[in-house]
Amino acid sequence: MTSAFFAVILLSVSSDTLSSEQHEQPVFVCDEDIDRADITGVERELEDRLWDETLSYLRGVRDVLTTPAGCLDGPRAVTQTLNDAQDGVERRCITRYRDVELMIKHLDAVLEYPEAARACFDNQARYEAFQLYSPNAEMVAADPVATWINRPTLEDYYTDRDDEVGEAGRELAAHFEILLANTVSEHTVGSDVTFNGLPTLWRSVGWLPFYAESESGISPRFRGGYTYAEVMGPWGLLRIKSIDGETVGAEIGMTVQLGDTFYPYHYHHPQEWYITLTPNACVHGNEFAVMFWDNPAFNQIRRERGWRVEVPADDADMRFIEQGVEQDWLTYFERNAIHAFNVAGSCNGEPSGLVSIWARTTARDNDQTTRMCVVADSEGNLPIGPGVGFICELDDWEY
Ligand code: ZN
């Protein structure tokens, strides 16, 4: 706490005028683990570049959430790929959700007072909570900021791993830049927030091979072929605990999922949204499913302080819809909504994969754990995919 308050005081006394604006400047309280080591002039210039692209990314996110696209004050999002009536897709205006309103409000504060917010910025070169990675040596060498931060690479991480997870991880690392480059964001807002527009950010942010060591991801190809990065949030580059005493629940980053992988059904207390950046080049394309945990298509059984939810193997076609830049590029998952991503295989021999903007809105309440569903019939020999039955054990949450 001490260092967070110290930063705020420093910023106040360094302002040389007492304008009326100064009185309105919100109080940013940072997380305690911000690295405050002194950096030299050249390093400061490099960090400035990362900070500038961080702000551009966050501005793009704020703009997409506030630009009318199917709703008067913002975009329309898929909230269920099969509605409760079992007769179609359910879409809602995303700004109707209070957690999204708060995310927009906090992004506005950051973008309006970037100098104050920067006290909570950390390039995470010496991040201690867990190891973060750059994709590969080529991408590091291509960017002076990534070279300066000098994270270990996913390429090295998977080098000696002699299993299917390692094989997929090496494929992901080798094709990383191609996957990132094959993206667009004009369908969301005017600015280019993809790798093509913000190459320093995408090369320098810390990536996490989230399922590499976790068998809960089930399929080895998915476990090695998935990674995500966090730009803002409790574990990201910009770590703001509160603004004017209000908890900042925003967690904003990006995900990459290699082609020909199935991200099994999962769920969590924090709400989540995704924006698709990869064009849908394949005939069958990328698909996803999201449904409220109490959707009648599932079987719900009450247990102590929670629910057992059975996802049937049948009728998977009804639950999965295509996502792409032309249609349904935004999805919003309510608390404990059960969701899965089925990413198509390669098209015409080109490496394929799904790149998305990813966010959670309440990253500082309840249980943040991503909970995986398990295969219902573990004796079955079907390949893991949409046509397999799953069981999800949901816990109640508290407000
Ligand atoms: Zn999720």
Side-chain angles (χ1 to χ4, degrees):
M1 273 313 248
T2 313
S3 57
F5 281 116
F6 185 57
V8 171
I9 292 162
L10 264 185
L11 283 160
S12 300
V13 296
S14 67
S15 302
D16 51 9
T17 55
L18 286 169
S19 65
S20 59
E21 265 186 20
Q22 190 182 3
H23 295 294
E24 292 165 14
Q25 176 171 299
V27 176
F28 291 83
V29 174
C30 312
D31 280 318
E32 284 86 359
D33 62 349
I34 304 296
D35 183 358
R36 299 189 190 285
D38 283 339
I39 52 175
T40 66
V42 173
E43 289 174 325
R44 178 78 184 182
E45 281 173 28
L46 292 168
E47 196 175 270
D48 283 350
R49 288 169 61 171
L50 184 58
W51 173 239
D52 287 347
E53 292 202 4
T54 294
L55 287 177
S56 296
Y57 195 73
L58 298 178
R59 190 175 298 110
V61 168
R62 190 272 312 270
D63 289 350
V64 74
L65 293 176
T66 55
T67 301
C71 302
L72 284 176
D73 58 355
R76 189 176 293 273
V78 173
T79 51
Q80 292 204 94
T81 49
L82 182 61
N83 62 20
D84 287 353
Q86 311 292 293
D87 62 3
V89 178
E90 179 173 292
R91 299 177 180 87
R92 290 181 178 173
C93 299
I94 199 168
T95 53
R96 69 174 278 169
Y97 291 103
R98 177 62 180 154
D99 52 297
V100 174
E101 279 186 343
L102 284 172
M103 172 179 271
I104 294 167
K105 178 181 167 186
H106 294 152
L107 284 171
D108 279 340
V110 169
L111 296 167
E112 199 169 337
Y113 299 96
E115 288 79 14
R118 187 161 175 175
C120 305
F121 185 68
D122 174 3
N123 63 47
Q124 294 184 302
R126 287 179 291 269
Y127 191 52
E128 287 175 355
F130 39 76
Q131 186 64 60
L132 295 168
Y133 297 86
S134 284
N136 58 53
E138 206 174 324
M139 287 178 69
V140 171
D143 192 279
V145 178
T147 302
W148 167 55
I149 293 175
N150 195 27
R151 303 188 201 285
T153 63
L154 291 176
E155 190 179 26
D156 287 344
Y157 174 81
Y158 285 115
T159 294
D160 296 324
R161 184 149 175 176
D162 187 23
D163 62 4
E164 279 183 76
V165 176
E167 195 179 324
R170 287 191 293 276
E171 186 179 331
L172 177 72
H175 294 153
F176 214 90
E177 187 162 324
I178 299 173
L179 300 183
L180 294 192
N182 184 24
T183 53
V184 293
S185 64
E186 290 78 12
H187 57 296
T188 60
V189 282
S191 63
D192 187 355
V193 297
T194 70
F195 168 77
N196 305 302
L198 305 173
T200 290
L201 175 65
W202 287 79
R203 286 191 179 115
S204 307
V205 70
W207 295 88
L208 198 65
F210 193 63
Y211 292 103
E213 303 296 336
S214 170
E215 292 187 2
S216 68
I218 305 178
S219 152
R221 182 168 168 83
F222 163 71
R223 289 174 53 200
Y226 173 85
T227 185
Y228 79 96
E230 186 163 321
V231 176
M232 175 180 176
W235 304 278
L237 296 169
L238 180 61
R239 304 199 290 281
I240 305 170
K241 185 189 283 183
S242 68
I243 300 177
D244 279 347
E246 197 169 72
T247 298
V248 175
E251 183 177 20
I252 300 167
M254 50 277 273
T255 61
V256 180
Q257 185 180 338
L258 193 60
D260 196 20
T261 58
F262 181 68
Y263 192 157
Y265 290 99
H266 58 289
Y267 55 94
H268 33 73
H269 284 164
Q271 303 90 333
E272 185 170 61
W273 59 254
Y274 284 89
I275 292 171
T276 306
L277 299 177
T278 303
N280 207 343
C282 299
V283 177
H284 295 293
N286 301 318
E287 303 174 314
F288 74 107
V290 56
M291 286 152 72
F292 303 154
W293 68 272
D294 57 353
N295 188 295
F298 301 149
N299 188 28
Q300 296 86 8
I301 303 144
R302 182 68 185 165
R303 61 166 172 74
E304 194 181 345
R305 296 170 62 194
W307 292 86
R308 160 175 281 217
V309 180
E310 296 171 350
V311 179
D314 300 339
D315 298 328
D317 285 356
M318 292 174 65
R319 297 195 293 268
F320 279 80
I321 67 168
E322 279 195 25
Q323 59 184 331
V325 301
E326 280 160 21
Q327 82 294 327
D328 292 331
W329 46 265
L330 176 66
T331 65
Y332 175 88
F333 305 155
E334 294 195 3
R335 284 192 193 275
N336 271 345
I338 295 171
H339 47 286
F341 297 91
N342 190 36
V343 175
S346 63
C347 305
N348 305 320
E350 290 283 303
S352 75
L354 175 65
V355 180
S356 305
I357 302 175
W358 156 83
R360 289 183 178 182
T361 50
T362 54
R364 295 175 189 270
D365 72 15
N366 284 298
D367 183 352
Q368 293 296 315
T369 315
T370 295
R371 303 277 303 273
M372 305 299 292
C373 305
V374 298
V375 176
D377 176 13
S378 56
E379 304 298 312
N381 291 318
L382 283 171
I384 299 302
V388 171
F390 280 81
I391 293 171
C392 315
E393 299 283 0
L394 276 63
D395 294 331
D396 298 339
W397 71 79
E398 295 163 11
Y399 281 102

